[in-house]
Amino acid sequence: AARVQSCASNGPVVRMYIELGLRAGKAYVFRIHAVSNPEVPAYDNSWTIEYSGESSPPFEGFTLWTFSEYELIPRTTAQISDSMQIPNPVTLRFRPNKEVHAGPEIGGLLTLTAPTGFEGMTRGTVGGSCADYLLTVGEELFEPDEEVKCQVEEGRKNVVTFSFIGSRKLEAGKLYVLVVQYFNPRSVFSVGSPWVAATFSDPSGSLESALDATEVPGFPINP
């Protein structure tokens, strides 16, 4: 074992001071905590290690668990009021990196978290089922409530979840188009906050089941 006396970073470069150095010919393993991943995959995902005047050839890094393509498109950017509450069909185009399995009890999740102030639109006044929504891949439609089920979370109406309850899974590398209805905030924002789209391998939506997670640029809210 080797003792790391100090560790400091400057951008993508990490420098460690190792007490008494390293022995030639021995294999070492080290871990760096709290590394911040980039928002988008790097064009050149090569890493290198240098030590005592020696350097390794560039080697391939790890694949980010994030959508490789994404875009959020609102129908309207107008604020709502008591006298004018027009739903906003929001379109999310995304290409997942990880597959999401399907099944009545073991199917995974897709969650879409809007900034505070947005509210997912429900069907009627009872329950949290989403109003009309669509999920397509190419020309194929996921049948609502048969292959995918949409719910607005109770107590967090800015969060909408999609459960894959049928036999059709979310496949890695394919381009999907999701349309879901939200009510815009009542306040005006000149700069849009990001939305978060994430997938999970099972219905729990827990950290242990997390797959892809992506911050998608949002849109401003106008008067």
Side-chain angles (χ1 to χ4, degrees):
R3 180 179 178 182
V4 177
Q5 191 173 54
S6 65
C7 180
S9 66
N10 182 13
V13 178
V14 174
R15 289 183 170 86
M16 295 183 292
Y17 177 74
I18 302 171
E19 189 174 310
L20 301 181
L22 303 176
R23 293 184 181 181
K26 293 196 66 175
Y28 292 88
V29 177
F30 64 89
R31 174 183 294 174
I32 301 175
H33 291 278
V35 173
S36 297
N37 291 332
E39 294 182 1
V40 296
Y43 176 75
D44 182 5
N45 193 23
S46 300
W47 295 54
T48 60
I49 295 177
E50 298 180 8
Y51 174 73
S52 187
E54 300 180 1
S55 62
S56 71
F59 55 91
E60 186 70 17
F62 55 90
T63 301
L64 290 180
W65 288 14
T66 184
F67 298 158
S68 60
E69 182 179 340
Y70 50 85
E71 181 182 20
L72 189 71
I73 307 169
R75 176 75 61 84
T76 175
T77 61
Q79 69 180 136
I80 66 168
S81 63
D82 291 335
S83 60
M84 185 175 295
Q85 296 191 25
I86 300 175
N88 179 15
V90 176
T91 299
L92 174 66
R93 298 173 66 255
F94 65 99
R95 194 182 300 273
N97 177 58
K98 292 286 185 178
E99 181 178 286
V100 180
H101 294 291
E105 297 179 357
I106 60 171
L109 288 180
L110 165 66
T111 65
L112 183 60
T113 303
T116 301
F118 286 86
E119 292 187 5
M121 183 179 178
T122 57
R123 184 186 305 159
T125 57
V126 179
S129 296
C130 297
D132 293 343
Y133 59 94
L134 293 172
L135 177 62
T136 59
V137 53
E139 300 296 325
E140 299 177 6
L141 171 69
F142 282 71
E143 288 294 335
D145 298 329
E146 293 182 13
E147 294 180 316
V148 61
K149 183 177 181 180
C150 178
Q151 291 283 122
V152 178
E153 281 200 10
E154 185 177 357
R156 293 199 306 164
K157 292 186 177 182
N158 61 316
V159 181
V160 176
T161 63
F162 299 86
S163 305
F164 294 90
I165 58 176
S167 59
R168 185 180 294 183
K169 60 188 177 182
L170 208 62
E171 298 183 52
K174 288 192 174 182
L175 182 63
Y176 292 84
V177 178
L178 172 69
V179 182
V180 60
Q181 299 189 70
Y182 273 87
F183 287 114
N184 286 347
R186 297 174 180 269
S187 303
V188 173
F189 301 103
S190 59
V191 178
S193 298
W195 296 48
V196 177
T199 55
F200 301 86
S201 62
D202 62 41
S204 69
S206 64
L207 183 61
E208 290 74 19
S209 66
L211 298 174
D212 293 334
T214 302
E215 282 197 353
V216 184
F219 50 90
I221 299 298
N222 301 307

